[in-house]
Amino acid sequence: MSDEEKVSKIMFVNRRAPHGSIYAYEGLEVKLIMGAFDQDLSAIFMDDAVLALKKGQDTSELGVKEFSATFRVLEDYGIEKIYVVEESLKERGLSVDELVIQPEVIPISKVAELMEQQDVLLSF
């Protein structure tokens, strides 16, 4: 990377449920693609997006591919700062032990601070 090239801080903000729309799946694909570039990447899961990280999902009756296990490779793609909002987990009756990855659990009060530190926010 040359001196002129700037490393951008990019955060993927995940808020939507994993099924019923393309946002969660497409967001995962974008994360993997962006991981190929030399940027400072992070991801936060809040609201219904925490459900995308739940272990043992059965999507056979929905007729869609189950993709939650793919979140395990995010760190391999350079996305090592992964957060989940504590209140979102609690509201959905989940614990971090029930997730396919082990993200950093943060309170909702810390979300704005993290977002302010970013150059770009991509919402899914």
Side-chain angles (χ1 to χ4, degrees), residues 7-114:
V7 174
S8 295
K9 294 179 81 172
I10 301 169
M11 175 177 272
F12 300 98
V13 181
N14 305 274
R15 298 188 77 158
R16 293 186 174 92
H19 309 294
S21 73
I22 64 166
Y23 290 103
Y25 184 74
E26 293 292 324
L28 177 58
E29 286 191 338
V30 170
K31 288 174 192 63
L32 298 176
I33 292 167
M34 293 289 292
F37 299 95
D38 194 17
Q39 302 298 320
D40 182 353
L41 304 174
S42 61
I44 186 166
F45 293 84
M46 54 196 309
D47 302 329
D48 284 339
V50 299
L51 298 171
L53 302 176
K54 188 177 182 307
K55 291 179 187 173
Q57 296 183 41
D58 179 7
T59 61
S60 58
E61 289 189 28
L62 298 174
V64 297
K65 182 178 179 179
E66 203 290 294
F67 59 89
S68 65
T70 309
F71 287 105
R72 293 184 191 132
V73 302
L74 290 179
E75 287 188 17
D76 296 334
Y77 280 77
I79 305 173
E80 298 174 354
K81 293 177 277 187
I82 304 171
Y83 308 96
V84 66
V85 174
E86 180 179 25
E87 291 84 350
S88 296
L89 285 176
K90 286 181 181 177
E91 290 168 2
R92 286 146 189 88
L94 293 173
S95 72
V96 73
D97 294 333
E98 295 175 273
L99 305 181
V100 295
I101 59 174
Q102 298 299 302
E104 180 179 341
V105 179
I106 62 167
I108 191 73
S109 60
K110 189 173 178 182
V111 172
E113 176 187 333
L114 282 174

